[in-house]
Structure formats: structure tokens, C-alpha cells
Amino acid sequence: MRVKCTGNEIEKGRECCETVSFGILLVSVGNRDIREINQDDIFTFLNRLTNGNKQNTKRNRFTTLSAFFNFIASTLNPHLLNPCEGPMLKKMFKKAKISECNILEKEVVDEIIFRTIHIRNRIILELLARAGMRISEVLKLTPNDIDGRKLTLRNPKSGKEIEFVYIPQRLSNRLQEYIQLQKIALHERLFPITYGGAREVVRKAGNTVDVYLTPHDLRRFAATYASRCGTPIEIVSKVILRHANLSTTQRYLGKVSDIEAMRWIESVHG
């Protein structure tokens, strides 16, 4: 069984490489018998294909490639040995460990926001902690994007044309007052600072209560607090975090401590 690629097949391989790693592997091995492809070929190919990618992306490519060889063996050539089955490859492209996240308590977040005197900085913190926004989304906001408690995100991370964020009424009122006070034009950014500057704002806010704080910590807090207040996981995922699937959201919520678990059980059955 030989793998020989014509010009058209090479182009097809390039087109499908985003979803099926085997497509571009065909291009790299050229005119060779598929049984001659070994672990070194796979290792060299995957290293080149996934250079600079995160471990989860590398793992996904490896898994897709292994599944394709298994498919060939089960349907076309039962004697074919899967070259992805080597222990070295499995170790190199193993699933990334998910690190535990420090989940902030509501009292801590409230104190951080309360101690922030600068109105601009306080609103940035609240948009992160109350609405679950990403810092990049906050920095792109203009008055044109605000319709009461509904914010429009243009060209969001998901690739959609627009997404919507919903904020509490009190935060909406403060946002409108800030726009009027600063006399911000409709197409001007609400917060004309850099990404690094915004991270520094958040870091300094955390220092007021001796907590190392990042913008993502506050986004994660928004999801965790909503979940523990009884908000359905679908709302947390699709409305607050705007994730494509629930599994991503579940990683945000973190582990429940023994104290937290007992407090919830007591509130339900006590």
C-alpha cells in the first residue's frame, strides 16, 4: 500500500491538515509504503506541525493521527502496526495536566473593588468580576457598544461577528455616569490604556488585600460565584463566559473545598 501524492492530492492534504493531521503527513512522506512509516517519521512530523502550540493542541494532533492509522488497520490492512503506539511518542504527546486554580471568595473581591477609588479602574474591575469579561474585551468597549445593561462585543475571540454581555443595573448606571463625566465620544474607547496597563491596574488592586490578582482570576470568579449561587451551568457557560462547550466551563469552576461543600450541604438540608 503506497502513499503517492499528485499535485492535487498535495493541495487537498494542505486543506485538510487543520482537521486531519494525516493529510499533511502524506505530503511529507511522499512516495513511500505506508508500512515504512515509523516512530521517527511521526515524531519529526508532529514536532514540525505543532511547533509553538500548546500541549493540548499537540495531544489532539497526535490522537487524530493515531486514530487514522487505527482506521487503516481495521478497514484496509489488519497487519499494519500503528507507528503512534510507541511509549516515547505517548509520553511526548500526553495530555496536559490541568493545574488547580485559586478561586477567590466574594468577600475578597468586594473588598478589592471597594478599595479601588479611581472610577475608571473600579469599573474595569467590575466588568471583569461581575460580567465575566476578558480584559481584551473590556479595553475595546466604546459608548456605541452600550445599550443599558446589554454590551455588544464586536469581533470577539469566538470568531463570531458579535456577542453580548449582560451587566447588573448598578454597574450600568456607573458606566453611564463615567461616560458623561469623561465626555467620551460614541466611537472612542472607554478605557484608552494598553493591555499591560490594564493588567497593572488589576495587580495593584489585588495588592490592597495582599492577593496576587490577574484579570483572568476575576473572570473565573464571575463564573464560580454565579455557579455557587445556583445559576444553571448552561447560563454560566453560554451567557457569562460565552464558551463553545460545557467542558471548558467546568475547568473554570475549580474544586470545591471541604468547608465550601459542608456549607452548601447545610444550606440545602440544614
Side-chain angles (χ1 to χ4, degrees):
M1 180 179 180
R2 291 195 171 274
V3 182
K4 186 174 182 179
C5 300
T6 64
N8 288 338
E9 288 168 337
I10 289 175
E11 190 59 35
K12 290 178 181 178
R14 288 173 180 159
E15 290 174 359
C16 72
C17 71
E18 287 300 316
T19 53
V20 182
S21 299
F22 192 76
I24 198 168
L25 177 62
L26 294 179
V27 178
S28 68
V29 299
N31 185 17
R32 288 176 60 186
D33 192 300
I34 195 171
R35 291 168 295 185
E36 296 174 1
I37 298 175
N38 55 40
Q39 293 184 33
D40 289 339
D41 294 325
I42 299 297
F43 179 76
T44 302
F45 163 69
L46 286 176
N47 266 345
R48 185 171 67 251
L49 182 68
T50 62
N51 183 36
N53 293 145
K54 293 182 179 179
Q55 184 62 26
N56 279 335
T57 301
K58 294 181 178 182
R59 171 69 180 181
N60 289 340
R61 295 289 193 182
F62 171 75
T63 302
T64 302
L65 194 57
S66 180
F68 194 93
F69 276 104
N70 285 336
F71 172 78
I72 294 294
S74 63
T75 59
L76 299 176
N77 187 350
H79 301 293
L80 177 69
L81 297 178
N82 189 338
C84 298
E85 288 298 316
M88 182 269 290
L89 287 173
K90 288 184 176 181
K91 183 177 181 180
M92 287 293 298
F93 299 99
K94 64 183 179 181
K95 189 174 182 179
K97 292 183 179 179
I98 299 176
S99 58
E100 292 186 21
C101 303
N102 183 32
I103 304 300
L104 298 168
E105 295 293 335
K106 181 180 184 301
E107 293 77 12
V108 174
V109 173
D110 286 346
E111 186 174 358
I112 289 172
I113 293 174
F114 177 77
R115 289 192 180 192
T116 303
I117 305 302
H118 196 294
I119 183 64
R120 180 202 69 187
N121 296 350
R122 176 168 180 165
I123 291 175
I124 289 175
L125 294 172
E126 288 198 85
L127 288 170
L128 296 170
R130 312 290 192 216
M133 295 182 69
R134 300 177 177 90
I135 191 63
S136 58
E137 296 168 343
V138 171
L139 296 181
K140 291 178 182 178
L141 284 175
T142 69
N144 261 345
D145 300 323
I146 301 170
D147 182 13
R149 296 170 56 193
K150 183 178 180 180
L151 311 182
T152 300
L153 304 181
R154 307 184 191 282
N155 301 314
K157 183 180 177 181
S158 65
K160 299 177 181 178
E161 185 175 346
I162 59 172
E163 287 182 351
F164 300 106
V165 171
Y166 302 90
I167 61 177
Q169 186 63 57
R170 285 185 296 179
L171 178 53
S172 175
N173 294 340
R174 276 194 285 273
L175 200 51
Q176 294 294 345
E177 291 171 5
Y178 171 75
I179 292 171
Q180 294 173 10
L181 183 66
Q182 299 297 322
K183 298 179 180 180
I184 303 174
L186 291 178
H187 295 285
E188 290 181 343
R189 289 168 55 200
L190 299 183
F191 314 109
I193 59 177
T194 65
Y195 181 81
R199 287 185 64 88
E200 188 65 10
V201 165
V202 175
R203 186 188 67 80
K204 288 183 177 179
N207 287 344
T208 62
V209 294
D210 297 323
V211 170
Y212 176 75
L213 191 66
T214 69
H216 216 62
D217 292 331
L218 294 175
R219 173 169 159 82
R220 185 179 294 111
F221 163 78
T224 303
Y225 180 67
S227 175
R228 294 179 182 177
C229 285
T231 306
I233 187 66
E234 293 85 356
I235 300 298
V236 175
S237 182
K238 302 300 182 184
V239 177
I240 298 177
L241 295 176
R242 291 162 281 114
H243 282 158
N245 54 69
L246 293 179
S247 62
T248 306
T249 302
Q250 289 168 340
R251 292 201 297 270
Y252 268 64
L253 302 184
K255 291 185 177 181
V256 178
S257 66
D258 291 345
I259 295 176
E260 186 78 11
M262 287 186 283
R263 186 168 68 188
W264 278 101
I265 293 298
E266 188 65 26
S267 68
V268 173
H269 301 288

